[in-house]
Amino acid sequence: MKICIFGLGYVGSVTAACLTERGHHVIGVDPQLEKVNAINSGRSPIVEPFLEELLAAAKSAKRLSATSDVQSAIAATDVSIVCVGTPSLESGGLDLRFVRQVCREIADALIHKDTPHLLLLRSTMLPGSTRSLLESTLKPVFEKGNLELVFCPEFLREGSAVVDFRNPSLTVLGSMDGSEVPSAASLFGECQWLAWEGAELVKYACNYWHALKVGFANEVGRVSKRIGVDGRELMKIVCSDSVLNISKYYMKPGNPFGGSCLPKDVSALNCFAAENGLILPLLDSVIPSNRAHTDQLRALVSAGGRGTVLILGLSFKKDTDDLRNSPMVALAEGLLSDGRDVKIFDPHLSARDLVGANLAQITRRMPHLTKLLVSDIAGELRIADVIVAAQPVVPLDTLRDNVGHDATVIDINGWDGLDSLPCIYKGLCW
């Protein structure tokens, strides 16, 4: 198929690369020239394992290009996939302005086109959003009879997105009445069909569950530490019940949840519940519980000494450069407001390479990031009083050779071997 993908961020670039791997021809569309130029050069605009190689191969095979021209992209393709961001509003609700803008541009281009066109909305949206877009922005072109509209939620974890696309744990598609749309099914293989609203909600149901698991494991971890029990070992026992407790993926005490999905989707679903008169006390508690876990981490850092704090890994998850809602960004902000001297080492990050939502968030929250990033890790390890080990971005031997005996190392996620270092070791939940 000939496909155009709107939005070349974390979802769009992976979707583009993986569809070209399956033999499709893809045109990426994005208003940011940095992303367009990266794709046209066969480079990845984000950090994601395997993505750079896939994009380079697609470029070499002449199956991938990018542009900012919506009209030409629509004219040259039969399928459009919308992967633009749906960020949070100040209220916690969902901001659909980018989706609406792209849908308007797509509708304006399609109104002059007579051949059939498939439009898949892949951006995360609350139940009723697809139908609302149809009734407003897309109605004129839909009434022409040559537009097929499908909602296709994504379940791509940053750091393993390519693997997840190749071997999905769940594939759900939504049509107006839940009936199959063969052209859409052929793109994604075996899938389950729901009405638009059901397909929209299943994404939130999954992320609500994932956020709940993280919060639950972290609360158990805090209680465990208070009574002198290793929270990691306790949760291993809880997770050993594969009949009732199901999955252990998120059930590991450690980092507060963050990123572009869980905080945003929990907040949006909370607003949706309130607007519809639903009382969901458990959902109400998820964000405060996560915030309390971040506060616990900040208190642990403060108890480690008043000198320099070195944070190892700033993004919300290893093997990615995504800073959106990163707990380590929140920690750094809090420590800076306390007057602490903070240094950050993350080999995936370069302030000059930040684009899109990453750049916007850092500009708003930490405009002085360039002054905090360090490259001489050995030297910084030797002078740091507190080392927050969020991600294994430094070889263990480098840590062993340079960390001072009086330094406090705070292990966030259970970094193997970290407790053997000749220093003061503290686990966040153990």
Side-chain angles (χ1 to χ4, degrees), residues 16 53 133 139 176 194 229 242 255 263 272 326 343 353 371 403 410 429:
E53 300 91 325
L133 286 166
K139 190 171 184 178
M176 178 180 284
L194 293 167
V229 172
S242 59
N255 216 42
F272 183 75
S326 168
K343 301 295 183 183
D353 293 333
K371 298 178 181 178
V403 173
I410 299 175
C429 291

Side-chain angles (χ1 to χ4, degrees), residues 114-388:
D114 295 322
T115 55
H117 200 89
L118 171 65
L119 174 58
L120 294 105
L121 300 177
R122 201 157 168 78
S123 302
T124 300
M125 302 189 297
L126 285 163
S129 299
T130 299
R131 200 171 297 273
S132 175
L133 286 166
L134 172 62
E135 291 300 321
S136 55
T137 309
L138 297 170
K139 190 171 184 178
V141 68
F142 190 79
E143 289 179 343
K144 281 185 62 180
N146 63 331
L147 177 67
E148 197 78 63
L149 182 60
V150 171
F151 183 77
C152 177
E154 53 85 16
F155 301 96
L156 306 176
R157 297 166 297 168
E158 291 184 32
S160 59
V162 171
V163 174
D164 289 344
F165 195 103
R166 289 168 172 167
N167 302 287
S169 59
L170 179 65
T171 304
V172 177
L173 298 179
S175 62
M176 178 180 284
D177 58 3
S179 59
E180 181 178 333
V181 178
S183 56
S186 68
L187 281 175
F188 297 99
E190 184 177 349
C191 57
Q192 302 175 69
W193 284 90
L194 293 167
W196 289 326
E197 289 80 3
E200 290 165 332
L201 181 57
V202 75
K203 169 71 173 181
Y204 284 95
C206 289
N207 278 352
Y208 176 16
W209 174 229
H210 298 329
L212 187 61
K213 286 185 286 186
V214 174
F216 168 73
N218 284 336
E219 287 193 353
V220 170
R222 295 204 298 275
V223 174
S224 298
K225 186 176 179 69
R226 177 62 62 88
I227 64 173
V229 172
D230 188 328
R232 297 169 301 178
E233 294 302 318
L234 191 91
M235 286 306 302
K236 282 181 182 178
I237 294 172
V238 173
C239 293
S240 67
D241 180 357
S242 59
V243 175
L244 297 179
N245 292 340
I246 305 174
S247 171
K248 63 182 182 181
Y249 184 80
Y250 290 95
M251 306 285 276
K252 299 174 183 176
N255 216 42
F257 64 76
S260 62
C261 291
L262 301 191
K264 174 173 71 74
D265 291 350
V266 170
S267 295
L269 190 57
N270 223 331
C271 283
F272 183 75
E275 291 166 359
N276 287 273
L278 298 172
I279 300 174
L280 304 177
L282 192 59
L283 178 62
D284 286 342
S285 71
V286 173
I287 295 296
S289 174
N290 196 56
R291 192 179 300 119
H293 200 63
T294 304
D295 292 341
Q296 173 80 7
L297 171 58
R298 183 174 168 184
L300 195 60
V301 173
S302 297
R306 296 299 303 170
T308 300
V309 178
L310 174 61
I311 299 175
L312 302 181
L314 187 65
S315 61
F316 93 96
K317 186 179 179 182
K318 70 175 184 177
D319 291 331
T320 176
D321 63 343
D322 195 352
L323 300 176
R324 291 174 291 180
N325 291 299
S326 168
M328 293 304 110
V329 171
L331 175 64
E333 285 182 302
L335 293 173
L336 288 169
S337 70
D338 291 341
R340 301 296 298 272
D341 181 20
V342 177
K343 301 295 183 183
I344 298 166
F345 178 77
D346 192 325
H348 289 317
L349 288 180
S350 170
R352 67 174 180 274
D353 293 333
L354 293 176
V355 297
N358 271 347
L359 178 59
Q361 179 149 153
I362 287 301
T363 299
R364 177 173 61 86
R365 298 176 64 182
M366 294 176 65
H368 45 287
L369 176 64
T370 53
K371 298 178 181 178
L372 305 181
L373 290 173
V374 297
S375 56
D376 177 18
I377 186 59
E380 295 296 336
L381 286 170
R382 285 192 287 269
I383 63 174
D385 289 284
V386 182
I387 298 165
V388 180

Side-chain angles (χ1 to χ4, degrees), residues 2-6 25-29 73-74 77 79-81 117:
K2 295 179 180 179
I3 303 166
C4 56
I5 294 180
F6 291 84
H25 287 76
V26 174
I27 300 174
V29 184
I74 292 290
T77 56
V79 180
S80 294
I81 304 178
H117 200 89

